[in-house]
């Protein structure tokens, strides 16, 4: 067990809050594996210090400083900065197997059984079922694979501009080769799907193991009132997944805020505004995921998987199309049967 780890990534201070809550949620469910967080150079020292209390290993990854192929790739494709940082997880060769989880996921029960799966196991993306969602995946650290991924990145780029495109391009037989690498529904429960199909959620919600807060508004962008347990704010969107959002905030307020206060003094740390002073100019992977997961492609085999991928690469997907909801609903219907 000591040679297996959950791995996440925090590129800036706001995502570090997500990583803190994710780490706590894994601990609370008594994981027997190590916890590792990769942090970008922009994550401030006090945040890193809190992360060190939750994670076994906090590894600063500065692609600009790496002087290796990753640095060269970044020179060619500065837009891939965050992606290249995420790919660094393959260099964690002191571990034989890892599960990567995005910082905007929350664990609702013990998920150590994921380590029984092989590289590359992941859940289908709700919007693009022939592609996997790169928010949760099982992988085997390897310098060789890392090198190949970087080479792939440099030569082919990413068809969605982020890590999901690179990983789907590289592990391109995922959809067809081995069904045991398709993680079941309980690991890819996205907040969008919940919102879309509340009745179904009421039936299977109890078995959810991981919730992925896809969407532009992340849990930490809201404001929380610990007295009334009310969540508010969050720029334009209304909270669409109140139950899980409340789980996130309850854990954050009880377990993370006290540690932040030790670092920063008595700031309440309960409002989304803490995000607004930060800047980060890199292209966001998260936004890309939002788009791909709510994209609308015909679910019926009107187009082949290859054709669909091609359309996606050419940016022809109608990302916010209403049909995406129908697709997800149909998927859930199938699942529930
Ligand atoms: C985790 O372990 C502790 C101590 O053994 C136990 O009290 C707690 O119920 C466990 N938590 C879960 C979610 O199983
Ligand atoms: C933090 O990084 C993520 C991507 O890793 C990005 O989506 C987000 O916009 C960044 N936040 C800020 C406040 O810069
Ligand atoms: C870090 O912050 C600086 C200045 O705010 C910004 O120019 C740079 O793009 C950021 N780097 C990363 C990797 O987010
Ligand atoms: C919402 C969604 O697309 N969920 C998918 C999760 O993964 C299973 C396969 O294991 C799909 O059937 C679901 O549609």
């Amino acid at each position: 067990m000591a040679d297996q780890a959950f791995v996440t990534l925090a590129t800036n201070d706001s995502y570090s809050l997500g990583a803190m809550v994710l780490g706590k949620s894994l601990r609370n469910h008594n994981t027997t594996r190590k916890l590792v967080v990769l942090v970008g150079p922009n994550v401030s020292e006090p945040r890193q210090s809190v992360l060190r209390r939750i994670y076994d290993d906090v590894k600063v990854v500065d692609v600009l400083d790496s002087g290796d192929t990753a640095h060269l790739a970044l020179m060619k494709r500065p837009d891939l900065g965050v992606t290249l940082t995420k790919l660094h997880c393959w260099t964690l060769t002191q571990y034989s197997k890892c599960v990567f989880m995005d910082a905007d996921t929350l664990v609702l029960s013990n998920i150590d059984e994921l380590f029984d799966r092989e590289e590359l196991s992941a859940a289908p993306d709700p919007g693009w079922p022939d592609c996997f969602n790169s928010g949760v995946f099982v992988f085997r650290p390897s310098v060789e694979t890392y090198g190949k991924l970087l080479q792939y990145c440099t030569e082919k780029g990413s068809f969605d501009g982020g890590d999901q495109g690179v990983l789907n391009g590289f592990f391109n037989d995922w959809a067809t080769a081995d069904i045991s690498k398709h993680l079941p529904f309980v690991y890819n429960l996205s907040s969008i799907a919940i919102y879309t199909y509340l009745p179904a959620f009421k039936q299977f919600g109890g078995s959810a193991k991981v919730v992925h807060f896809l969407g532009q508004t992340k849990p930490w962008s809201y404001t929380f009132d610990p007295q009334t347990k009310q969540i508010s704010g969050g720029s334009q969107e209304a909270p669409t997944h109140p139950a899980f959002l409340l789980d996130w905030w309850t854990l954050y307020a009880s377990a993370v805020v006290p540690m932040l206060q030790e670092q920063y003094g008595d700031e309440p740390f309960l409002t989304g505004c803490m995000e607004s002073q930060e800047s980060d100019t890199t292209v966001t992977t998260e936004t890309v995921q939002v788009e791909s997961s709510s994209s609308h492609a015909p679910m019926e085999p009107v187009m082949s998987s290859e054709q669909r991928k091609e359309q996606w690469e050419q940016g022809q997907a109608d990302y916010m199309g209403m049909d995406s909801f129908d697709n997800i609903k149909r998927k859930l219907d199938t699942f529930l049967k």
Side-chain angles (χ1 to χ4, degrees), residues 123-127 129 182-186 188-190 193 328 331-332 335:
D125 187 282
H182 293 209
L183 298 181
F185 188 76
V186 287
N188 66 346
L189 188 63
S190 74
I328 295 170
K331 268 268 148 185
L332 288 171
F335 169 75

Side-chain angles (χ1 to χ4, degrees), residues 27-207:
R27 292 264 186 244
N28 284 355
H29 291 103
N30 295 339
T31 179
T32 58
R33 278 23 180 226
K34 298 279 187 203
L35 302 189
V36 180
V37 59
L38 306 176
V39 298
N42 280 7
V43 174
S44 64
E45 179 42 43
R47 299 288 170 110
Q48 288 189 34
S49 157
V50 173
L51 286 169
R52 278 193 294 271
R53 292 177 59 183
I54 301 170
Y55 284 79
D56 297 296
D57 192 4
V58 178
K59 194 177 174 197
V60 181
V61 176
D62 191 349
V63 172
L64 273 177
D65 241 18
S66 61
D68 63 2
T69 336
H71 190 188
L72 287 177
L74 189 63
M75 297 292 96
K76 279 192 185 169
R77 298 290 306 266
D79 54 313
L80 291 180
V82 173
T83 299
L84 291 167
T85 309
K86 184 161 173 176
L87 295 183
H88 251 265
C89 66
W90 262 273
T91 66
L92 297 168
T93 50
Q94 67 270 44
Y95 303 104
S96 65
K97 199 190 272 184
C98 297
V99 172
F100 185 93
M101 303 190 70
D102 273 346
D104 57 353
T105 57
L106 176 72
V107 165
L108 307 171
S109 71
N110 184 293
I111 53 168
D112 286 357
E113 75 273 7
L114 282 177
F115 289 91
D116 297 340
R117 308 255 176 178
E118 260 316 314
E119 176 174 276
L120 185 289
S121 294
D125 187 282
W128 293 93
D130 298 325
C131 288
F132 58 83
N133 183 283
S134 58
V136 178
F137 62 87
V138 182
F139 69 101
R140 280 191 182 275
S142 146
V143 172
E144 195 191 340
T145 311
Y146 177 63
K148 286 181 183 163
L149 275 163
L150 288 181
Q151 193 183 353
Y152 183 91
C153 226
T154 323
E155 286 168 9
K156 307 261 172 72
S158 164
F159 60 73
D160 69 354
D163 60 279
Q164 181 153 317
V166 171
L167 293 173
N168 272 281
F170 186 80
F171 295 100
N172 63 4
D173 66 351
W174 174 86
T176 50
D178 179 359
I179 201 77
S180 75
K181 294 183 178 177
H182 293 209
L183 298 181
F185 188 76
V186 287
Y187 302 104
N188 66 346
L189 188 63
S190 74
S191 43
I192 290 172
I194 297 167
Y195 171 58
T196 307
Y197 203 31
L198 213 57
F201 169 66
K202 286 188 179 133
Q203 277 186 47
F204 65 73
S207 61

Side-chain angles (χ1 to χ4, degrees), residues 256-270:
V256 173
V257 169
M259 288 193 271
L260 288 166
Q261 286 171 336
E262 277 179 40
Q263 290 294 323
Y264 290 88
D266 257 348
E267 286 174 59
F269 279 106
L270 297 173

Side-chain angles (χ1 to χ4, degrees), residues 9-15 82 218 220 274-287:
L9 166 68
T11 43
N12 50 43
D13 277 7
S14 32
Y15 271 62
V82 173
K218 298 301 178 190
W220 51 86
M274 58 195 164
E275 204 170 4
S276 56
Q277 308 108 1
E278 293 166 19
S279 68
D280 181 330
T281 51
T282 52
V283 167
T284 76
T285 8
E286 297 316 317
T287 307

Side-chain angles (χ1 to χ4, degrees), residues 276-331:
S276 56
Q277 308 108 1
E278 293 166 19
S279 68
D280 181 330
T281 51
T282 52
V283 167
T284 76
T285 8
E286 297 316 317
T287 307
V288 170
Q289 281 202 9
V290 175
E291 290 172 347
S292 57
S293 59
S294 56
S295 60
H296 103 280
M299 289 284 276
E300 312 312 339
V302 176
M303 269 193 284
S304 72
S305 172
E306 274 309 303
Q307 284 170 315
R308 261 194 260 165
K309 218 182 223 174
E310 215 168 276
Q311 275 215 355
W312 192 18
E313 290 173 45
Q314 290 162 2
Q316 286 169 0
D318 175 10
Y319 287 135
M320 291 312 183
M322 285 308 287
D323 288 359
S324 66
F325 291 156
D326 292 338
N327 287 342
I328 295 170
K329 183 170 178 293
R330 220 175 299 145
K331 268 268 148 185

